[in-house]
Amino acid sequence: MLLNCIRLFVCVFCVSYYTKCCVGQFINFSNYDTTTSPPLPFPACQADDLECLRRGLRTFFFLMESGHMGMQSVDPMLLNSLTVALPEEQLSFLMRRINVTGAKWTKLAERKFNLPGGKNGVRFISNLHVTGEITMMTAARIDPFFARITMDIQDVESNITYSWAGQRGFDNEDYIFIGPERVAVRNSRTPFFFVQSNNQEDTTRMEQVLKARPTFLEHLSNEITIALMHSVVDNFRLFASKNYVNFNIDQLSIALDELNPKPENRQLNLFK
Ligand SMILES: *[C@@H]1O[C@H](CO)[C@@H](O)[C@H](O)[C@H]1NC(C)=O
Ligand SMILES: *[C@@H]1O[C@H](CO)[C@@H](O)[C@H](O)[C@H]1NC(C)=O
Ligand SMILES: *[C@@H]1O[C@H](CO)[C@@H](O)[C@H](O)[C@H]1NC(C)=O
């Protein structure tokens, strides 16, 4: 069955994968296991070909959106609640029913292999649109202030690093195991926001506070972006656990260490 496999794609996060199902150039339907997935339109990319990797990322987001292999869509992504507080000012914000859209247009800005500690990294740029309910609690008024809010988070940069290791599966194929990820987020500008409520006083007061202390919006938008990126990596982890790579993992590690030319010259498909 495996002989029928063709190389299907290079995932943008990692290296070349085969899907488990193996539909070859000559499709043999009697061989085709419908419980596994059909072939995926991933391009085969060189490590330095950012445009190609970007197309791979598009495909990956499309697969997440379609719930491929049990992956969870991240566009829209719903979050229950987030809190940001400035205790010294006795001021806090609670955001609820958060609905984040736009993740699927996330752009790949940079892809790094062999970071210190053998980690891999990706840098993403996203534009996100957020809606939700916001409650402001102050020391000055017992009743909280309440409004609906929309936020536009523009060009937020996420820097994701993760460790990875090869693992031989029960099926004797090599899989990439993705370790815990670290997500650092940088916002180049304060998000645009708009608050709306039935109570004009609440609206005005919240607008004033949010304008005077952009750090609240920045914190909220960073937390939202970090949650989003953890979901993306969770999906990728699931994906990697179900799709084996098309080379021996030990060979890859040795090749990366020994060959180790400038990372930008490294061709992933050397190892196929
Ligand atoms: C399809 O695969 C089966 C099982 O390996 C094999 O018996 C059959 O001859 C194949 N058919 C074709 C058309 O290749
Ligand atoms: C989230 O927002 C999108 C776009 O506005 C909308 O289509 C979707 O229904 C919303 N989801 C929920 C659960 O409110
Ligand atoms: C991204 O993470 C890497 C590794 O942790 C670090 O070297 C780099 O400076 C970070 N870049 C930004 C913009 O945070």
Side-chain angles (χ1 to χ4, degrees):
M1 179 171 169
L2 299 187
L3 292 176
N4 284 342
C5 286
I6 51 166
R7 185 163 47 104
L8 291 169
F9 55 84
V10 172
C11 178
V12 66
F13 281 92
C14 243
V15 279
S16 304
Y17 283 101
Y18 276 113
T19 55
K20 200 68 199 106
C21 75
C22 311
V23 180
Q25 281 137 314
F26 311 103
I27 296 174
N28 182 341
F29 284 100
S30 67
N31 245 346
Y32 181 74
D33 181 353
T34 48
T35 61
T36 54
S37 58
L40 308 170
F42 272 89
C45 303
Q46 292 184 8
D48 63 340
D49 188 347
L50 209 55
E51 278 311 315
C52 180
L53 292 169
R54 281 181 180 141
R55 289 196 296 277
L57 184 70
R58 281 277 78 71
T59 307
F60 182 68
F61 271 85
F62 168 79
L63 291 171
M64 277 197 288
E65 210 182 341
S66 61
H68 181 77
M69 289 180 161
M71 293 197 285
Q72 300 287 317
S73 173
V74 295
D75 194 352
M77 182 187 70
L78 304 174
L79 292 170
N80 283 333
S81 66
L82 275 179
T83 318
V84 179
L86 273 185
E88 62 274 22
E89 297 196 31
Q90 296 183 302
L91 191 59
S92 69
F93 284 91
L94 167 67
M95 202 171 161
R96 277 193 296 214
R97 296 175 202 275
I98 306 165
N99 183 347
V100 190
T101 51
K104 71 177 154 210
W105 302 114
T106 290
K107 288 189 286 266
L108 177 68
E110 199 182 356
R111 178 76 183 84
K112 286 188 244 169
F113 300 91
N114 272 11
L115 291 169
K119 294 192 173 194
N120 276 353
V122 282
R123 202 156 51 79
F124 287 146
I125 309 273
S126 320
N127 288 309
L128 305 172
H129 180 74
V130 181
T131 60
E133 297 170 357
I134 193 159
T135 307
M136 179 173 83
M137 283 146 291
T138 62
R141 199 177 93 173
I142 292 167
D143 291 337
F145 296 74
F146 177 84
R148 282 177 301 282
I149 186 168
T150 61
M151 273 200 282
D152 276 315
I153 307 175
Q154 290 191 309
D155 294 328
V156 61
E157 190 182 302
S158 312
N159 193 359
I160 307 173
T161 47
Y162 57 89
S163 54
W164 64 281
Q167 270 186 343
R168 181 62 48 91
F170 292 121
D171 54 4
N172 225 23
E173 299 293 344
D174 284 324
Y175 290 83
I176 284 179
F177 171 80
I178 311 293
E181 73 277 12
R182 187 182 152 273
V183 181
V185 164
R186 192 165 61 182
N187 231 320
S188 44
R189 37 192 143 151
T190 307
F192 289 115
F193 76 96
F194 178 72
V195 283
Q196 199 183 12
S197 128
N198 298 332
N199 181 330
Q200 191 52 44
E201 186 201 333
D202 280 20
T203 314
T204 312
R205 186 76 191 107
M206 277 172 105
E207 236 172 54
Q208 283 170 351
V209 174
L210 287 171
K211 281 196 174 127
R213 292 179 185 72
T215 172
F216 278 116
L217 289 169
E218 283 156 14
H219 264 85
L220 286 169
S221 85
N222 285 358
E223 291 302 321
I224 289 167
T225 311
I226 288 170
L228 173 70
M229 292 305 157
H230 282 304
S231 298
V232 171
V233 180
D234 282 344
N235 277 311
F236 177 59
R237 191 172 282 121
L238 183 70
F239 181 87
S241 72
K242 293 189 175 178
N243 295 276
Y244 63 91
V245 288
N246 69 345
F247 46 74
N248 181 296
I249 213 81
D250 297 327
Q251 284 169 1
L252 174 74
S253 308
I254 294 165
L256 284 178
D257 289 346
E258 284 183 359
L259 281 174
N260 198 15
K262 289 194 198 117
E264 59 271 24
N265 297 336
R266 192 178 293 146
Q267 291 194 9
L268 287 183
N269 34 19
L270 268 181
F271 310 115
K272 69 185 174 209

